[in-house]
């Protein structure tokens, strides 16, 4: 048994405690001067006491659990989600769903359209110094009839669809290009100069001297059909996830990410991005309702 003295951290009043055979541990006590609740900790050596106000310890633990940027909620906690949460979630989900539908439409675009008329396609053949005559044009490895108008300009007729166009000129490397010709009116051109639209119904082949083969890659429409569906599906999936995060109020920043990617999904070209943008603007109105801000 040992009698030990300690001072109250609050009023500095000298207190005494009798230790009955314990060499270490924590003991609750009340200050004789200010009635503060204290926790007395005896070290393992049994020679020192550490005194803590229980109210201070509680406040310290609370500070570690609750983030500093969270405001204390006032009022009754709502059991049901507000209409604004449901509206924003629906906007994000709809924008993402439109992205899935648009990607699906692009994925199912046919390689060639049957039952439509052929349209005039302009082919311009040149090298680094001049335009070229005597070019032979092949479409999908088949030579096609062509009309030469001078200045390296040739006209061929094709239905809208996907093709591999190859141009051969003596003393030059064979040059190929993968193109997709979209549905369009025949003779589509720039009004002021009466010239076809490059990459739409006119394609320019820059030939290189020598032997062998060169490739000019793909035109914009062909690249779009090859890559856009997959990208739109991924962005739409992130958007659907963002809609769920918003509806369940899991994370404000994740909800923002989901809304942003629902815009990038480009559902129905402009309709989806507009809905996603509206959701992104409305999200700050429900920021304080989320479980966490990260």
């Amino acid at each position: 048994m040992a009698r030990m003295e300690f001072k109250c951290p609050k009023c500095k009043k000298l207190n005494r405690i009798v230790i009955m055979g314990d060499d270490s541990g924590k003991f609750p006590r009340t200050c004789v001067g200010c009635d503060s609740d204290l926790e007395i900790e005896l070290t393992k050596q049994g020679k020192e006491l550490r005194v803590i106000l229980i109210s201070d310890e509680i406040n310290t633990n609370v500070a570690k659990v609750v983030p500093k940027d969270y405001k204390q909620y006032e009022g009754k906690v709502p059991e049901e989600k507000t209409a604004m949460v449901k509206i924003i979630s629906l906007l994000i989900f709809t924008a993402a769903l439109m992205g899935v539908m648009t990607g699906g439409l692009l994925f199912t675009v046919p390689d060639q359209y049957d039952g439509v008329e052929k349209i005039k396609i302009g082919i311009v053949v040149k090298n680094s110094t001049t335009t070229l005559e005597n070019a032979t044009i092949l479409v999908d490895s088949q030579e096609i009839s062509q009309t030469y108008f001078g200045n390296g300009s040739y006209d061929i007729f094709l239905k809208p669809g996907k093709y591999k166009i190859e141009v051969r000129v003596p003393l030059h490397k064979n040059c190929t290009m993968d193109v997709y010709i979209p549905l369009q009116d025949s003779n589509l051109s720039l009004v002021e100069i009466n010239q076809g639209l490059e990459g739409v119904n006119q394609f320019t082949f820059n030939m290189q001297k020598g032997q062998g083969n060169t490739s000019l890659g793909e035109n914009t429409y062909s690249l779009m059909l090859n890559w856009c569906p997959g990208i739109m599906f991924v962005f739409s999936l992130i958007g659907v996830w963002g809609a769920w995060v918003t509806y369940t109020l899991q994370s404000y920043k994740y909800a923002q990410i989901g809304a942003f990617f629902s815009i990038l999904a480009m559902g129905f070209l402009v309709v989806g991005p507009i809905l996603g943008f509206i959701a992104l603007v409305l999200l700050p109105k429900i920021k304080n309702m989320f479980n966490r801000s990260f």
Side-chain angles (χ1 to χ4, degrees), residues 48-100:
E48 296 181 1
L49 292 178
R50 188 167 67 93
V51 184
I52 301 175
L53 274 171
I54 293 180
S55 59
D56 289 345
E57 185 177 26
I58 293 174
N59 291 335
T60 302
N61 292 335
V62 171
K64 292 179 180 178
V65 174
V66 181
K68 294 181 179 180
D69 61 339
Y70 269 62
K71 297 180 180 179
Q72 184 175 359
Y73 187 83
E74 297 180 358
K76 185 179 179 181
V77 178
E79 296 181 358
E80 296 184 358
K81 295 179 176 63
T82 64
M84 183 61 71
V85 174
K86 296 179 181 179
I87 290 173
I88 296 174
S89 302
L90 183 61
L91 286 172
I92 299 174
F93 178 77
T94 304
L97 183 61
M98 288 182 177
V100 173

Side-chain angles (χ1 to χ4, degrees), residues 194-247:
N194 194 29
Q195 178 180 332
L197 301 178
E198 186 66 32
V200 179
N201 63 352
Q202 176 176 295
F203 304 96
T204 300
F205 287 77
N206 294 299
M207 310 297 292
Q208 298 178 12
K209 293 183 179 181
Q211 296 181 348
N213 299 283
T214 60
S215 175
L216 297 179
E218 302 173 281
N219 72 327
T220 302
Y221 284 97
S222 182
L223 287 171
M224 181 180 68
L225 292 177
N226 287 337
W227 292 99
C228 281
I231 294 174
M232 294 173 76
F233 284 142
V234 172
F235 287 172
S236 297
L237 185 62
I238 298 175
V240 171
W241 166 76
W244 173 251
V245 170
T246 304
Y247 183 76

Side-chain angles (χ1 to χ4, degrees), residues 148-199:
Y148 181 63
F149 291 95
N151 296 324
S153 297
Y154 301 79
D155 279 351
I156 61 175
F157 286 86
L158 296 172
K159 291 182 178 181
K162 185 183 295 185
Y163 300 96
K164 179 185 289 290
I165 300 178
E166 180 180 354
V167 175
R168 298 176 181 176
V169 179
L171 303 179
H172 291 77
K173 296 180 180 180
N174 299 334
C175 187
T176 60
M177 180 188 299
D178 293 317
V179 304
Y180 184 86
I181 302 171
L183 287 169
Q184 58 190 273
D185 294 331
S186 187
N187 296 322
L188 186 66
S189 63
L190 297 174
V191 177
E192 296 181 355
I193 59 177
N194 194 29
Q195 178 180 332
L197 301 178
E198 186 66 32

Side-chain angles (χ1 to χ4, degrees), residues 112 125 165:
Q112 292 187 10
V125 184
I165 300 178

